[in-house]
Amino acid sequence: MRALTAGQITAIQHLSLPKAERPSVDKIAAEVGVSRSTIYTWQKDPEFIAELKAQIVRNNVGDLPELVGALTRMAIDEKSAAMAKLALQVHGMLTDKVEVQTQTSPQTTDIAALKSRIEAVRGRQHEQA
């Protein structure tokens, strides 16, 4: 995994802000010394996207308890199944993941019995010849 440049880190710091607080792409590009199209290219880079998401979480981690509480209140007050589902998913109590467990019993092969059957088949083939 390659390291992001200082310009990319600065762009991420700006792009992770809420829209009302965020400078325009033109201003971000000018600050970091790249073109506007470079910013858009960066936004398609998986490593850039991953760090942008991580920065958004870091910016908002303090608000998460309030958000989770609001989900719960909305689910109850509005009798919203969608909010209840989301609140349960946030708490890890409900997932869309389906887990399937298979149990296999160890199967043993009776080598002696196989050898005996092979010899019997060879004997029949020899008698037919």
Side-chain angles (χ1 to χ4, degrees), residues 73-85:
R73 283 189 303 281
M74 289 171 66
I76 294 168
D77 295 346
E78 298 174 18
K79 296 180 177 33
S80 170
M83 288 299 132
K85 178 182 177 184

Side-chain angles (χ1 to χ4, degrees), residues 68 72 84-97:
V68 173
T72 304
K85 178 182 177 184
L86 186 56
L88 290 171
Q89 286 174 326
V90 165
H91 291 293
M93 297 173 72
L94 179 67
T95 66
D96 291 330
K97 181 172 71 170

Side-chain angles (χ1 to χ4, degrees), residues 3 6 15 17 21 42 48-49 56 67 76-77 93 109 116 120:
L15 293 169
L17 297 172
E21 300 172 27
W42 287 347
F48 186 91
I49 293 168
I56 291 169
L67 174 63
I76 294 168
D77 295 346
M93 297 173 72
T109 304
S116 175

Side-chain angles (χ1 to χ4, degrees), residues 17-64:
L17 297 172
K19 195 170 190 169
E21 300 172 27
R22 183 184 327 146
S24 70
V25 172
D26 289 325
K27 287 182 180 177
I28 296 169
E31 181 179 335
V32 299
V34 298
S35 69
R36 175 186 173 97
S37 64
T38 297
I39 300 289
Y40 290 118
T41 300
W42 287 347
Q43 289 177 307
K44 295 175 187 172
D45 175 19
E47 291 180 17
F48 186 91
I49 293 168
E51 182 55 31
L52 177 58
K53 288 178 181 178
Q55 186 60 49
I56 291 169
V57 170
R58 287 190 293 270
N59 290 354
N60 295 288
V61 73
D63 295 328
L64 290 177

